[in-house]
Amino acid sequence: MNNQRSFFFNVDWITVFIYLALCTIGLFNIRAAVFNPDHPYLLDMDTNYGKQFIYIIVAITLAIIILLLESRFLSALAPVFYVITVLLLMLVLVIGRNVGGNQAWINLGGGFRLQPSEFAKYTTCLLLARYLSGTNIKVTEVKSFLIAGGIILLPMVLIKMQPDDGSTLVFCSLIFVLYREGLSPYFLIVTGLLITLFVLSLITPNLWYLISAIIIIGLFLIYFFRRNRRMALGLLAGMILSAAFVFAIRPLYEHGLKSHQRERIDVVLGITHDTKHVGYNQNQSKIAIGSGRMWGKGYLQGTQTKYSFVPEQSTDFIFCTVGEEWGFAGSLVIVGLYLGLLLRIIAIAERQRSPFSRIYGYGVASVIFFHFFINISMTIGFMPVIGIPLPLISYGGSSLLSFTILIFTLIKLDSNRMGIV
């Protein structure tokens, strides 16, 4: 009895409450996004909202099962879970169903499908935590860094082959886990500079303007650090590599990306203006969100939603329904819930006594942050459309179940933290 009472109080109920709130909000917004007057009932199994209700029940059941498991098995079975998802990612390339140009789903029958890439995020976080928490493992050492990178890279390559670019990019967020575990901040700085140069190279009419700016800034920094020979040589090498990178960007951009990917990036950067073809989805999305103004049009009253002006509105563009029917106030509540969830997860990760639990917690935070930030940025035109769901709110069983497993595994690990020496 005392153990049950202790377990009850050790569970982080704030995180559980936020999870349930987002799931509930998602269910009602999916209903609004695809509402059919001929099927008005929430539990109608012929509709997406009826199926999502079943997914939520299954997810909550799975969450309870995870909380009742012995937490030490999660670390012990991490390699097994990882291998299973890798095999599923290989299998989907052979027998998978093609939906929207991606061969990413395995048919389960009865209108239900399994998307292995969603669960690969969980097993990758689990195995990465298992490896990095090992004895004498330091990401600052080349061998450890390469093995950790290999754990992340393998599912990325298999998912890219589907090809599912959105899910592939999610794994890049795990660099924040490596950074928390001691990776030099220079990796993040260099990544940020490369992204900046990439954007500037595309929007600058004459590349020589950008090259000249790089040289001027580089020479100024070299002069400033002239007494530190090592720093000066590093800056000189950085200046030369930056100039070479700028020259290489456009050929790589033209030949390394597909035409529709380039067109989406061009629309976001303002290089081209297209509101009828490539930019149609984002344009309609911004119209829907903007039309909600402060308080929204009211539940089931959104005209953009009702007449299906925005494609994929129950999945990738579910935030449009929030903006149109709930307005800025409702959107702010959603953003606040996600920020609260992320801050709570980071707080949980930091209070862990076990390195495995801490590292896993940062993996969960990284994946959820990437989904949340990119999905909402995509709907307001700040990022190109890459097709990733909004956690716990977008329609989809695989997505909901994978985020449920991610979150409740951390809650389970946290509930046992006091028993770890």
Side-chain angles (χ1 to χ4, degrees), residues 377-390:
S377 298
M378 184 178 71
T379 59
I380 62 177
F382 185 66
M383 290 284 183
V385 178
I386 60 173
I388 60 173
L390 191 59

Side-chain angles (χ1 to χ4, degrees), residues 195-393:
I195 293 172
T196 303
L197 286 176
F198 172 78
V199 173
L200 291 175
S201 299
L202 296 181
I203 64 176
T204 305
N206 191 329
L207 288 182
W208 284 109
Y209 295 149
L210 183 56
I211 296 296
S212 299
I214 291 172
I215 292 173
I216 291 170
I217 294 172
L219 290 175
F220 172 79
L221 290 173
I222 290 171
Y223 177 78
F224 186 77
F225 289 101
R226 65 187 184 281
R227 294 183 179 179
N228 188 330
R229 186 175 180 181
R230 185 176 179 182
M231 177 66 76
L233 289 174
L235 289 168
L236 178 61
M239 183 177 68
I240 295 171
L241 290 174
S242 296
F245 180 73
V246 167
F247 275 118
I249 279 296
R250 287 187 181 174
L252 290 173
Y253 182 67
E254 292 294 331
H255 302 289
L257 296 178
K258 295 178 181 178
S259 59
H260 71 276
Q261 294 171 329
R262 294 196 303 271
E263 289 166 353
R264 288 174 180 175
I265 294 174
D266 288 346
V267 167
V268 170
L269 295 179
I271 298 172
T272 60
H273 298 278
D274 181 359
T275 59
K276 294 183 178 180
H277 301 289
V278 177
Y280 175 81
N281 288 8
Q282 281 190 327
N283 185 57
Q284 293 298 324
S285 171
K286 290 187 284 187
I287 291 172
I289 294 172
S291 66
R293 299 190 178 183
M294 178 58 73
W295 303 109
K297 298 176 180 177
Y299 187 60
L300 298 180
Q301 302 303 311
T303 53
Q304 294 291 114
T305 295
K306 186 181 295 182
Y307 298 112
S308 303
F309 283 104
V310 183
E312 308 296 339
Q313 196 157 347
S314 65
T315 53
D316 299 341
F317 286 90
I318 190 68
F319 192 72
C320 300
T321 305
V322 176
E324 184 177 20
E325 298 193 349
W326 297 19
F328 178 78
S331 300
L332 198 60
V333 170
I334 300 296
V335 172
L337 283 172
Y338 277 116
L339 292 177
L341 178 63
L342 287 167
L343 290 173
R344 195 66 189 171
I345 289 172
I346 292 172
I348 289 172
E350 284 296 336
R351 72 188 184 193
Q352 298 307 301
R353 296 182 175 186
S354 161
F356 171 80
S357 301
R358 182 190 67 245
I359 297 166
Y360 174 78
Y362 270 91
V364 175
S366 299
V367 170
I368 292 177
F369 171 76
F370 187 92
H371 272 266
F372 154 70
F373 177 76
I374 297 298
N375 181 277
I376 292 182
S377 298
M378 184 178 71
T379 59
I380 62 177
F382 185 66
M383 290 284 183
V385 178
I386 60 173
I388 60 173
L390 191 59
L392 307 176
I393 290 184

Side-chain angles (χ1 to χ4, degrees), residues 21 73 91 99 124 147 155 168 184 198 355 358 364 375 387:
F73 291 127
L91 183 63
V99 178
T124 302
I147 293 175
T168 302
S184 172
F198 172 78
R358 182 190 67 245
V364 175
N375 181 277

Side-chain angles (χ1 to χ4, degrees), residues 110-184:
F112 295 96
R113 302 190 300 260
L114 176 71
Q115 188 176 4
S117 59
E118 290 293 336
F119 298 97
K121 301 166 191 175
Y122 167 67
T123 58
T124 302
C125 288
L126 212 57
L127 185 60
L128 188 64
R130 162 75 182 268
Y131 174 70
L132 292 178
S133 62
T135 306
N136 298 324
I137 300 298
K138 297 180 181 180
V139 292
T140 52
E141 296 177 354
V142 175
K143 181 182 177 181
S144 299
F145 176 77
L146 291 177
I147 293 175
I151 291 171
I152 299 170
L153 190 62
L154 178 56
M156 284 182 69
V157 172
L158 293 173
I159 294 169
K160 175 62 178 174
M161 292 170 66
Q162 293 177 0
D164 184 351
D165 296 322
S167 295
T168 302
L169 290 173
V170 171
F171 289 83
C172 295
S173 67
L174 295 177
I175 190 174
F176 293 112
V177 178
L178 303 182
Y179 171 69
R180 172 60 182 83
E181 292 308 305
L183 187 67
S184 172

Side-chain angles (χ1 to χ4, degrees), residues 71-136:
S71 60
R72 67 174 181 268
F73 291 127
L74 295 170
S75 174
L77 294 177
V80 177
F81 293 150
Y82 183 83
V83 169
I84 289 172
T85 51
V86 167
L87 292 175
L88 286 173
L89 289 172
M90 293 177 178
L91 183 63
V92 81
L93 296 173
V94 180
I95 66 168
R97 179 179 176 183
N98 194 302
V99 178
N102 295 336
Q103 190 169 322
W105 285 266
I106 297 175
N107 269 331
L108 300 178
F112 295 96
R113 302 190 300 260
L114 176 71
Q115 188 176 4
S117 59
E118 290 293 336
F119 298 97
K121 301 166 191 175
Y122 167 67
T123 58
T124 302
C125 288
L126 212 57
L127 185 60
L128 188 64
R130 162 75 182 268
Y131 174 70
L132 292 178
S133 62
T135 306
N136 298 324

